[in-house]
Amino acid sequence: MNLDHNPKSGSLFGVSASDYDKLSELRPEFLERFSIWEKHISLTFPNQRNLKALDLGCGNGYITLTLAKLGYQVVSIDGDQEMLKLTRNKLENEKLIGSVSLGHYFLPLPDQFVTEHENHFDLIVLSSVIEYIEKSDQLLKQCQLLLKPDGYLMISFPNKKSIYRLLERLLKNTPIFKNSYVRFQKKQYDLSDINFISISNNFTIEFTKYYALPFQRYLKYFTKSNSIDWLSTLILVKFKKK
């Protein structure tokens, strides 16, 4: 099933979707991120069936594929048609396309989608998405409406406390980051921001995890931990709807 309601493709990753997909299969930082997401998704509803998940900003489909393999019925949303094609190809290769609906929307979601899926999902995931959304507060309120009672929302946030993120902010308008994702980021987050999100949207925080060291291929020789609050570039947070 395809939920195509947007005539345009996204402008951020559309031209490099295939290159992004190739990099994500090779670079250690991507592989680490995927393994962390896979672990914590699998622990969220162990041994339960007939679960429904929403993957917002599904990108090249790795998390969608993980959810489908775990038995979820998945709705996967992206604003880039090329990314959706990559997701579809992965699902078809694994013969899992029947358990996933692909939707072409920009975020925040259209009101009609929210109305039709209110209290519908057990789990919503946003992996490296929220920092690019202009109206992120609206999107978070939509997630609250879309989740079932006691449903979970998993989000990765760029860690504002990280020294590497500080350098990004200082240098984002220089030639060093001329074609970087950094120029598209609307916000970076610390724990006070995350606590505010929890309180203002009637969530509880189940856990937080720092991960994704910068220059991981080199730093791995100096530290065995990838969870360093002043250095790790991402924070994975699991919220629960009250």
Side-chain angles (χ1 to χ4, degrees), residues 27-33 36 157 159 161-165 168 181 209-236:
R27 290 174 59 171
E29 57 265 38
F30 283 101
L31 298 176
E32 179 222 10
R33 295 174 194 183
I36 288 171
F157 297 92
N159 176 22
K161 189 176 180 179
S162 168
I163 292 175
Y164 183 79
R165 295 296 191 190
E168 285 184 339
Y181 64 87
K209 177 178 176 58
Y210 291 93
Y211 69 111
L213 295 179
F215 312 114
Q216 187 181 66
R217 67 192 71 183
Y218 308 111
L219 286 176
K220 67 181 180 181
Y221 297 110
F222 301 96
T223 177
K224 293 183 179 181
S225 173
N226 65 356
S227 186
I228 305 172
D229 61 355
W230 56 268
L231 186 57
S232 300
T233 60
L234 293 170
I235 313 171
L236 179 61

Side-chain angles (χ1 to χ4, degrees), residues 126-227:
L126 293 96
S127 174
S128 296
V129 171
I130 196 165
E131 59 266 38
Y132 301 108
I133 306 302
E134 187 74 48
K135 298 180 179 179
S136 58
D137 290 345
Q138 181 183 345
L139 178 61
L140 289 164
K141 292 184 186 306
Q142 290 180 337
C143 289
Q144 220 281 344
L145 292 170
L146 291 164
L147 281 171
K148 294 178 182 178
D150 295 326
Y152 290 95
L153 171 63
M154 293 179 64
I155 305 179
S156 67
F157 297 92
N159 176 22
K160 185 163 64 177
K161 189 176 180 179
S162 168
I163 292 175
Y164 183 79
R165 295 296 191 190
L166 173 61
L167 291 174
E168 285 184 339
R169 295 194 297 276
L170 292 173
L171 301 174
K172 70 182 294 184
N173 294 317
T174 68
I176 295 174
F177 289 111
K178 181 179 179 180
N179 297 311
S180 171
Y181 64 87
V182 177
R183 293 202 174 189
F184 296 93
Q185 283 189 353
K186 309 301 180 185
K187 185 174 181 178
Q188 296 179 356
Y189 297 78
D190 59 22
L191 289 183
S192 64
D193 299 313
I194 292 166
N195 284 325
F196 179 79
I197 287 170
S198 173
I199 293 167
S200 59
N201 291 283
N202 202 30
F203 291 123
T204 58
I205 297 174
E206 294 289 296
F207 79 85
T208 60
K209 177 178 176 58
Y210 291 93
Y211 69 111
L213 295 179
F215 312 114
Q216 187 181 66
R217 67 192 71 183
Y218 308 111
L219 286 176
K220 67 181 180 181
Y221 297 110
F222 301 96
T223 177
K224 293 183 179 181
S225 173
N226 65 356
S227 186

